Amino acid sequence: MGENQMITSTQVTDATVRALYRAETSLPPWVLERIKEGLERETNPLARSQLQFMLDNVSLAGSRGLPICQDTGLAIFHVLMGQDLILDFDLQEAIAQGVRRATSQIPLRPNAVDPLTRENSKDNTGPGMPDIILDRTCGQSLSITAFPKGAGSENMSLVMMLNPADDPMEFIVDAVRERAANACPPLFLGIGIGGSFDLAARLAKHALLNMHRIQPYSQESSQRADRSITLTTSPEEIKKLEESLMKRLNNLGIGPMGLGGDTTVLGLRIEKALCHTASLPVAINFQCWANRSATEVIL
């Protein structure tokens, strides 16, 4: 972007509406590919029919410009802002204005309510909403990723402060066994291990947001659910751990929509941080099969 070019609040608002529209009415290609791969591998006839219904649903929503799910979620955004970019307007308000427009135009279900009175804001904005996760990068660009999050999967998400001697993998398997069927599987799981109570949750959300950056899991490389792998700083070991965990979770047999089958989890990512010597925080951010997101870049 040239020195004389400026990003305006109108551009941000318009980009927010476009990102929300795409996120609500379509799925990213990599998510569709994971569902199709699950359909190809699935051996349970009922599970196969459920996966096909999901693909048909996405196709119908796209052709009619309608939301994929009746729960259009909370307005969550990941904003990547160039460190050299200077804005002369309130970024939060510009995005909020886009949410208000999108709520009436797409339309979106008004989901944002006061946690105590349950009074609905009626436009998906208000204290704390939209939720904007801001990261900095090089340059002067601005990218806005809409990441609407429905209550079905969000209600199953959790943070637990384990004892340092506990096995986080066993905790994760137990949590998915108990909760997956209520989160509209097959799932995408963002897992945060370490940090503090709140950092573990942020790691889990960040893992979900960045899951598209990892390669698809190899069926051949994850045939054995190896429980002996330990957490290290090696990306290769983390990859092995993710594959082993995904194999264990799919072996639970929960299947699409909790009706049984081989396909319980379509993807997972682990992110970790150092933690206190006396702590072991673990967070799991569940995401349903409709792993919705869309990015608009303003140059």
Side-chain angles (χ1 to χ4, degrees), residues 7-18 20 77 79 87-102 125 129-130 132 142 144 298:
I7 291 178
T8 67
S9 61
T10 299
Q11 286 177 294
V12 170
T13 296
D14 290 346
T16 299
V17 175
R18 292 195 302 270
L20 271 174
F77 296 89
V79 175
L87 302 179
D88 61 356
F89 58 89
D90 186 334
L91 180 63
Q92 176 93 21
E93 177 54 32
I95 293 176
Q97 183 58 33
V99 172
R100 295 184 193 106
R101 274 180 45 193
T125 69
M129 284 293 140
I132 299 175
L142 185 74
I144 301 173
I298 305 174

Side-chain angles (χ1 to χ4, degrees), residues 174-195:
D174 289 343
V176 172
R177 181 186 292 113
E178 295 172 4
R179 294 166 176 258
N182 292 322
C184 295
L187 306 170
F188 295 86
L189 299 173
I191 298 169
I193 302 177

Side-chain angles (χ1 to χ4, degrees), residues 21-22 37 40-41 63 157 182 185 207 216 243 253 284 296:
Y21 177 79
R22 289 172 49 219
E37 290 170 358
E40 291 175 1
R41 293 192 300 265
S63 65
S157 301
N182 292 322
E243 291 186 344
I284 310 172
E296 289 286 325

